[in-house]
Amino acid sequence: MNLLEVNNLRVAFAGKEVVHGVSFTIAPGEKLALVGESGSGKTVTALSLLGLVQNADVTGTAQFTGLEGGAARDLVAMPEREQRAIRGREIAMIFQEPMTALNPLFPIGDQIAEVLQLKEGLTKREAWDAAVEALRATGIPEPERRAMAYPHQLSGGQRQRAMIAMALSGRPRLLLADEPTTALDVTLRSQILDLLGDVQKQNGMSMLLITHDLNLVRKFADRVAVMENGYLVEQGPVDEIFANPQHPYTRKLIDSRPERDVVEGDAPAGAPVMDAKGLQVAYPVSLPGVKGWFRKGEFVAVKNAGFAIPAGRTLGVVGESGSGKSTLAMAALGLIPHRGELGVVGRQWGPDAAANKAIRRLVQVVFQDPFSSLSPRMTVEEIVGEGLLVHEPGLKIDGRRERVLQALHDVGLTESQFPGLLQRYPHEFSGGQRQRLAIARALIVGPQLLVLDEPTSALDVTIQKQVLKLLQRLQREKGLSYLLITHDVDVIRAMAHDVMVMKDGDILESGTVAQVLDSPREDYTRTLVAAAS
């Protein structure tokens, strides 16, 4: 007998249907992956099973047999009171972003203990001890101390482990995991998957994994169901679907791995666009005890880095969270103080704001999340043209508008596609289109170097491929150099000419992509490459 049988599930908001007659089953101990791009309806489908979609009209059936006595009950028709009793106990959920799912005002131990008190009827002391053990089971070091930490005091991987501990504390029969590894580095991703796999085997738990990461699906799931625009277009065993996909959308997803399309060969002669020697970045930190009253210590985030980026080339910087790669990017942009030499086309960042202004035109940045990096109160014309107000204040309105339209055209956005394009706001565009706006904003002042900070990690696989193709084309046409910050080895293989591997502020090894990724010298690099394969 199946643990869950979903039949003809439909979800509508204000009369508009967004999930159209979805049907699937999950057997006891089975791992089903629900895959698709953003907006495909996969998260709404999962949330509707627990009655967590507000203001939605949900129809169809979802027969669940994991309750006491084994009798099947329809989750869709179940009253709210009964659904509350099931949530967190028989069916639990891991949400995509633990920083927003965890309460910032309470230590994580208290948050896990609260679930145990409500669902298991434990005393406060018993619940606290069980919360510590739940954290220990997820592999968090020093669980007694971490249980007293607030969410912001934990790393991304530790917060995700805390979310898993909370979800598993009630020993559920079914776990709904919504993009549980999207925001994590490749090595942390593997650790979380191993953890979930171990717990699933030990407890005989079933899982519904919601993701757009096909590598994750191939490694982890037993069966896969593919959603497009609210429809379930294909489902079956993982090996069969990946070996012989039947639906065009499934084939499109599988074929969406980044492709390499860059100018190969030796680096051009001449001075590099950016070069660093003995670069060091340190942050002040408080010292423990009486010493902290009189002086500050320092934490060195980047230690004696040296590199050069020739014209028209890409230097990829890869490493886990906390490796120092984002700090390196901030120094390259002249946004934080540094020691050592860091030159941009022969000029050095320094304390002189006027001198730095000229350098800022040469170095621009594209951030990870286009939605948060674009002002929601500014129009497209204001966002893209903002740099011209700083670097070319004498430019007339008509001239500035012409430059804005040209920059938008360069990234594939035109008035014919989007009537009234200049007066639109960021929320009127998709994630990939917003990232194109961010690239246009960076290009309009004519930079020689773009710092790309995880430019595709927030995008679906098909959109990621489109944005990488755009960046590759712009590099060929404009001779741009890129400093690419990422934890995605596939993106490095597609985009970079040279690569640096960072760990704990040190550059462990560097060289061409073939040298470093195909024949790594360091165990850490081999671990990164293996985790991404």
Side-chain angles (χ1 to χ4, degrees):
M1 182 181 293
N2 290 313
L3 179 69
L4 178 69
E5 292 188 4
V6 177
N7 186 48
N8 196 30
L9 183 71
R10 297 177 182 273
V11 183
F13 295 94
K16 182 177 180 180
E17 195 169 88
V18 296
V19 175
H20 313 286
V22 167
S23 299
F24 60 86
T25 63
I26 302 178
E30 185 180 39
K31 295 174 287 189
L32 173 67
L34 192 59
V35 304
E37 297 176 279
S38 296
S40 62
K42 56 188 187 297
T43 297
V44 170
T45 296
L47 292 175
S48 65
L49 299 177
L50 289 175
L52 295 177
V53 186
Q54 294 185 340
N55 302 318
D57 181 18
V58 182
T59 59
T61 62
Q63 297 291 337
F64 182 67
T65 58
L67 303 177
E68 292 184 9
R73 292 290 308 278
D74 183 6
L75 297 174
V76 175
M78 192 175 289
E80 169 66 16
R81 178 179 295 180
E82 293 185 34
Q83 284 183 332
R84 281 202 303 269
I86 288 175
R87 294 174 196 151
R89 187 162 186 173
E90 281 79 15
I91 304 176
M93 185 153 191
I94 301 172
F95 294 95
Q96 179 172 354
E97 178 45 66
M99 195 61 184
T100 55
L102 294 171
N103 191 323
L105 302 179
F106 294 94
I108 60 168
D110 286 344
Q111 298 185 53
I112 299 171
E114 182 183 24
V115 175
L116 291 165
Q117 286 179 271
L118 288 173
K119 301 297 181 181
E120 302 292 328
L122 302 182
T123 66
K124 191 171 184 179
R125 183 69 228 178
E126 290 171 339
W128 177 263
D129 292 340
V132 172
E133 288 306 309
L135 289 172
R136 193 189 309 278
T138 66
I140 285 185
E142 302 178 272
E144 294 86 356
R145 185 168 68 86
R146 298 297 184 187
M148 294 184 288
Y150 291 85
H152 72 274
Q153 296 174 307
L154 302 178
S155 70
Q158 289 168 343
R159 284 194 294 266
Q160 195 65 284
R161 288 172 187 268
M163 280 286 298
I164 292 171
M166 186 182 300
L168 298 180
S169 60
R171 298 187 295 276
R173 299 285 306 279
L174 174 63
L175 178 66
L176 310 180
D178 186 7
E179 301 280 9
T181 62
T182 295
L184 303 180
D185 302 317
V186 285
T187 50
L188 281 177
R189 207 174 293 179
S190 295
Q191 292 172 22
I192 294 297
L193 288 181
D194 291 343
L195 169 64
L196 289 174
D198 290 344
V199 172
Q200 187 259 343
K201 289 175 184 175
Q202 292 169 11
N203 300 343
M205 179 179 66
S206 301
M207 282 187 61
L208 177 61
L209 175 68
I210 303 155
T211 185
H212 64 254
D213 187 336
L214 297 180
N215 278 338
L216 186 154
V217 172
R218 187 184 274 115
K219 292 178 183 178
F220 189 72
D222 301 314
R223 288 193 305 118
V224 59
V226 183
M227 287 193 72
E228 181 189 22
N229 297 328
Y231 293 95
L232 197 58
V233 297
E234 187 169 1
Q235 59 180 309
V238 167
D239 291 341
E240 290 183 14
I241 295 294
F242 277 85
N244 187 27
Q246 299 299 306
H247 195 275
Y249 181 71
T250 310
R251 290 196 291 271
K252 177 184 173 184
L253 288 179
I254 293 173
D255 293 338
S256 291
R257 293 190 67 157
E259 295 177 353
R260 187 172 180 83
D261 184 18
V262 299
V263 177
E264 305 287 2
D266 295 333
V273 173
M274 174 172 283
D275 65 309
K277 296 176 183 175
L279 177 66
Q280 189 176 93
V281 181
Y283 298 104
V285 294
S286 298
L287 292 174
V290 177
K291 290 185 293 185
W293 298 359
F294 303 101
R295 61 189 177 89
K296 292 282 188 181
E298 70 173 16
F299 167 70
V300 182
V302 176
K303 307 169 185 175
N304 297 315
F307 60 88
I309 308 177
R313 305 274 288 192
T314 299
L315 172 63
V317 184
V318 64
E320 298 175 286
S321 296
S323 62
K325 59 186 189 296
S326 293
T327 299
L328 181 70
M330 296 284 279
L333 291 163
L335 297 177
I336 52 176
H338 64 270
R339 297 193 285 264
E341 298 180 17
L342 180 59
V344 181
V345 196
R347 307 176 189 180
Q348 295 284 325
W349 290 112
D352 187 342
N356 286 346
K357 181 179 176 181
I359 304 177
R360 293 196 190 284
R361 181 168 189 165
L362 302 174
V363 185
Q364 293 289 303
V365 62
V366 178
F367 293 103
Q368 178 176 353
D369 184 357
F371 195 70
S372 60
S373 66
L374 302 176
S375 172
R377 295 182 175 87
M378 295 172 67
T379 65
V380 167
E381 183 173 13
E382 292 168 337
I383 289 169
V384 177
E386 188 176 18
L388 294 176
L389 295 174
V390 176
H391 296 288
E392 296 185 37
L395 195 62
K396 301 294 185 184
I397 292 177
D398 290 345
R400 187 163 62 245
R401 179 168 294 168
E402 185 178 337
R403 292 272 292 276
V404 168
L405 288 170
Q406 182 59 50
L408 291 169
H409 181 270
D410 288 343
V411 300
L413 298 175
T414 63
E415 283 274 0
S416 60
Q417 293 174 292
F418 304 95
L421 172 63
L422 296 183
Q423 303 311 314
R424 292 192 179 204
Y425 290 87
H427 71 271
E428 299 178 76
F429 298 88
S430 68
Q433 291 161 354
R434 285 195 290 265
Q435 197 62 296
R436 288 173 185 265
L437 290 175
I439 295 170
R441 176 178 62 181
L443 290 177
I444 198 166
V445 295
Q448 295 187 37
L449 173 71
L450 289 187
V451 176
L452 306 173
D453 185 7
E454 301 278 10
T456 60
S457 65
L459 304 177
D460 296 319
V461 286
T462 54
I463 305 302
Q464 179 189 71
K465 186 175 181 180
Q466 294 172 18
V467 171
L468 292 179
K469 278 188 173 182
L470 169 63
L471 291 168
Q472 291 165 343
R473 175 176 64 79
L474 291 171
Q475 185 173 58
R476 291 194 303 271
E477 293 176 354
K478 298 180 180 293
L480 292 168
S481 299
Y482 295 145
L483 177 60
L484 174 62
I485 310 295
T486 185
H487 63 252
D488 192 329
V489 175
D490 284 341
V491 172
I492 291 285
R493 287 190 184 277
M495 289 287 296
H497 298 87
D498 304 291
V499 61
M500 296 192 313
V501 180
M502 292 192 71
K503 185 178 190 297
D504 299 329
D506 288 310
I507 297 176
L508 292 188
E509 62 180 304
S510 62
T512 66
V513 168
Q515 289 170 343
V516 174
L517 298 186
D518 295 340
S519 303
R521 301 190 312 269
E522 300 287 335
D523 290 340
Y524 177 74
T525 309
R526 285 192 281 271
T527 300
L528 286 179
V529 173
S533 62

